[in-house]
Amino acid sequence: MSSIDVSIVNNVVAVMIDNRYSGFSDIPKELNGCDESVFIEAVSDSIKAAVTDAKEKMRPKNGETYYVPHPFSKSMYSSQEWAGDSIDRRVEERGLMFKTKEEAIEAAKKMLEVVK
């Protein structure tokens, strides 16, 4: 992950990861007006839950296709089916997994710009 944006509106925590994946979690309303440290802990827990929600949306389901930038190929991308193996997890950890081929192509173009 390169960036996480957090907002809280009306007791709902919203996070946006890498400007692509969003997650949400409620802060229990009964905590309004309670001890400050209890409320802060509840907000922290809600942020963690919202990040988890967003991360779950990022990862493909078994057999689902994802796209990887390949700046050296003619198409500038390749597609893979998620199996959850070490290669899939490495691609995910390195931020090279995309839901669309257009996103993978854009990433490949950015890679080429770095080396020019």
Side-chain angles (χ1 to χ4, degrees):
M1 284 183 289
S2 57
S3 70
I4 299 177
D5 297 314
V6 179
S7 64
I8 302 172
V9 177
N10 295 328
N11 283 44
V12 176
V13 173
V15 299
M16 179 70 74
I17 298 177
D18 295 335
N19 294 316
R20 292 189 297 182
Y21 303 101
S22 56
F24 303 92
S25 179
D26 293 328
I27 301 169
K29 290 191 184 279
E30 64 270 9
L31 294 175
N32 286 342
C34 70
D35 181 62
E36 186 177 292
S37 63
V38 172
F39 185 75
I40 289 170
E41 186 174 338
V43 169
S44 175
D45 291 344
S46 293
I47 291 170
K48 289 176 191 174
V51 168
T52 298
D53 181 40
K55 283 183 177 180
E56 287 172 0
K57 293 173 184 173
M58 293 168 72
R59 176 176 281 171
K61 294 175 177 49
N62 279 339
E64 189 174 88
T65 300
Y66 67 90
Y67 300 89
V68 179
H70 277 228
F72 50 87
S73 74
K74 186 175 182 177
S75 67
M76 304 272 290
Y77 75 93
S78 70
S79 61
Q80 303 286 120
E81 285 190 9
W82 178 266
D85 60 19
S86 62
I87 293 171
D88 290 339
R89 290 191 308 275
R90 189 174 313 121
V91 168
E92 180 184 34
E93 288 168 6
R94 293 182 179 173
L96 296 172
M97 180 181 296
F98 296 91
K99 290 217 179 234
T100 68
K101 62 183 172 185
E102 292 79 14
E103 290 174 314
I105 291 168
E106 185 62 31
K109 289 177 180 177
K110 288 179 183 177
M111 290 174 173
L112 290 173
E113 286 299 315
V114 170
V115 295
K116 285 185 178 181

